[in-house]
Amino acid sequence: MKQLFFILIALLMMAGCSSQSSQSDEGTAPNFVPGYDEPVRGVWLTNVASDALYTKEKVVQAVEKCDSLGINTIFVVTWNKAMTMYRSQIMKDFTGVEIDPVLDPDNSGRDPLKELIEESHKRDIKVFAWFEFGFSSSYNKDGGVLVKLKPEWASLTSDGELCTKNNFDWLNALDPEVQDFVMSLILEVVNNYDVDGIQGDDRLPAMPSKGGYNPGVIEEYKAEHFGQEPPEYYKDFEWVNWRAEKLNEFMKRLYHEVKSADPECIVSMAPSVFPWSKEEYLQDWPTWINFGYVDMICPQVYRKDSTSYLNTLKATVDYVLPEKRHLLYPGILIRVNGEQPSNELFKFMIESNRKLGMDGEVHFFYEGLSQYSEELKEMYN
């Protein structure tokens, strides 16, 4: 009896030591996104409503500003309006346009992505290639050059028209050729540039739920549904779920192909908030984060008042498994159409992130940073 008593005491002591050791490990080695030893504090850098990428001097200024404010990650636009912000052999062969001519009007061979990477890495700032347009082909241009060259790539609605939403024209994100094309651009960057990561957003992988009524997609659906046609109602639950699962498969493939090209390259996505993201754009991103198809998720928690922000943030966190929440860094809106949140609201959003366990965020977008210089220096440095 006495021997059993001492055995129980020993087991309890071992359990206690194990628990203390585990707590100690957690205290000294907090979880971060792979490749980071600190929280992600990022900003999106665009070529729209900003001239930061137009010259090397402006690139240097942008990087220096980010560094002074404690920004450690720049998500730079790489794919926009059927053009690249880097010198792409793929696009040169396909459309004849190697790089957005606005970024190199003299055709001097300038490469803004290379410049940004070099300047950022001097200051230990990570650079992600952000494929902003994703599966969107153009903005209010009837599909633009991509659909003109490849009309069969256009996403179709149930009435056979080009799928458009909010003036964006869309490619068929479920078409294997379209998927291969977008994948080729991503891998071109991963293989040719020293990027720390790649990122898609609410257009990658995505497609408006009213799209995808293409012959090939319909035949595939029928083959998996005993000859049944897809519902005419594009928000039919099963029809949405089926197409979203196809994009989940692409997301899984994207992750593995990027990692095969560069195991250290971080795969990040910045989708819309769930479940709206799935209902409207077929983005089932909780599956991506919870099943390990991404290294980081930055949902666009874009709200213009404190109540909406906090409620949306809380709901967003709940879709992520507790053991994956260290990979969640919300996107916050700090400038749109010249409008910016008050400094009080900005601080509230950051404080809300901290209270819910997130030590970083990503700001949309660079041109809005100046208004919050003091707040950022205080919080980040």
Side-chain angles (χ1 to χ4, degrees):
M1 212 42 202
K2 185 182 291 185
Q3 185 178 15
L4 179 60
F5 174 79
F6 283 117
I7 290 174
L8 288 172
I9 292 294
L11 289 172
L12 288 170
M13 290 178 66
M14 289 173 63
C17 289
S18 175
S19 175
Q20 290 177 5
S21 173
S22 175
Q23 292 173 8
S24 174
D25 289 344
E26 290 176 2
T28 57
N31 287 328
F32 294 118
V33 170
Y36 281 83
D37 57 7
E38 61 181 351
V40 176
R41 285 152 183 193
V43 67
W44 280 289
L45 185 63
T46 79
N47 65 328
V48 177
S50 173
D51 63 359
L53 294 173
Y54 283 20
T55 67
K56 183 173 182 179
E57 291 72 25
K58 290 184 182 296
V59 167
V60 172
Q61 291 171 12
V63 174
E64 288 177 343
K65 175 185 279 189
C66 289
D67 189 37
S68 71
L69 299 178
I71 297 293
N72 63 12
T73 309
I74 296 175
F75 298 85
V76 60
V77 62
T78 312
W79 167 242
N80 188 318
K81 296 178 288 189
M83 290 183 288
T84 56
M85 311 305 113
Y86 65 94
R87 310 201 81 84
S88 170
Q89 187 63 46
I90 291 172
M91 293 306 295
K92 183 178 181 179
D93 294 341
F94 188 19
T95 67
V97 181
E98 184 182 20
I99 188 173
D100 185 342
V102 174
L103 300 176
D104 188 21
D106 300 325
N107 198 26
S108 64
R110 178 174 181 256
D111 192 326
L113 179 57
K114 182 179 179 182
E115 292 171 358
L116 184 74
I117 292 170
E118 290 175 349
E119 294 302 320
S120 297
H121 285 179
K122 289 177 186 177
R123 299 164 179 82
D124 294 323
I125 295 175
K126 295 185 187 299
V127 174
F128 282 58
W130 166 36
F131 290 84
E132 182 187 8
F133 257 52
F135 286 116
S136 176
S137 60
S138 61
Y139 184 79
N140 202 26
K141 288 190 175 182
D142 198 31
V145 64
L146 298 182
V147 170
K148 182 178 180 180
L149 291 171
K150 292 280 190 176
E152 68 275 18
W153 283 8
S155 178
L156 303 179
T157 60
S158 60
D159 58 6
E161 298 298 319
L162 173 67
C163 178
T164 63
K165 190 176 178 71
N166 298 328
N167 291 320
F168 285 94
D169 311 315
W170 283 80
L171 301 175
N172 177 15
L174 306 182
D175 186 312
E177 279 194 10
V178 173
Q179 292 183 353
D180 288 347
F181 166 68
V182 172
M183 187 76 74
S184 72
L185 292 175
I186 294 170
L187 294 178
E188 182 178 48
V189 169
V190 173
N191 287 320
N192 296 337
Y193 292 84
D194 187 22
V195 290
D196 300 285
I198 63 96
Q199 187 179 69
D201 54 20
D202 51 353
R203 289 185 284 272
L204 176 66
M207 184 173 64
S209 54
K210 66 179 182 178
Y213 286 87
N214 296 64
V217 177
I218 292 173
E219 289 307 309
E220 185 176 2
Y221 181 87
K222 289 169 63 177
E224 297 181 19
H225 292 81
F226 307 100
Q228 180 181 342
E229 294 273 348
E232 286 191 21
Y233 178 51
Y234 64 86
K235 285 191 179 180
D236 174 85
F237 177 82
E238 202 283 328
W239 175 226
V240 166
N241 200 58
W242 185 83
R243 288 172 294 162
E245 183 57 34
K246 297 299 180 183
L247 289 186
N248 288 348
E249 293 172 7
F250 174 77
M251 183 69 248
K252 184 178 181 180
R253 175 193 164 198
L254 187 157
Y255 184 82
H256 288 298
E257 292 207 19
V258 168
K259 293 298 183 179
S260 294
D262 180 0
E264 303 301 317
C265 186
I266 301 166
V267 177
S268 173
M269 292 291 147
S272 304
V273 293
F274 194 84
W276 191 89
S277 62
K278 184 175 180 179
E279 295 165 356
E280 298 291 335
Y281 286 97
L282 309 177
Q283 290 195 303
D284 178 22
W285 64 257
T287 293
W288 308 346
I289 183 70
N290 292 328
F291 284 84
Y293 303 166
V294 294
D295 299 310
M296 174 166 58
I297 203 84
C298 306
Q300 298 176 21
V301 190
Y302 293 171
R303 297 296 181 266
K304 296 182 179 181
D305 65 82
S306 57
T307 301
S308 296
Y309 183 82
L310 183 57
N311 290 340
T312 305
L313 183 65
K314 286 179 177 178
T316 297
V317 171
D318 285 342
Y319 288 113
V320 181
L321 293 172
E323 61 268 29
K324 297 283 189 175
R325 288 178 185 167
H326 64 286
L327 306 177
L328 171 63
Y329 288 90
I332 65 174
L333 186 65
I334 64 170
R335 186 177 177 89
V336 61
N337 298 326
E339 297 181 10
Q340 296 190 240
S342 67
N343 291 63
E344 291 74 18
L345 177 55
F346 177 79
K347 289 183 68 175
F348 175 86
M349 292 189 290
I350 303 295
E351 290 167 357
S352 297
N353 294 347
R354 302 297 176 269
K355 288 178 181 177
L356 289 178
M358 289 156 284
D359 291 326
E361 47 277 318
V362 185
H363 306 273
F364 186 84
F365 62 105
Y366 168 78
E367 295 297 335
L369 290 177
S370 296
Q371 179 170 322
Y372 314 106
S373 294
E374 295 307 313
E375 289 86 351
L376 288 167
K377 288 177 182 178
E378 179 182 344
M379 292 183 292
Y380 284 1
N381 291 317

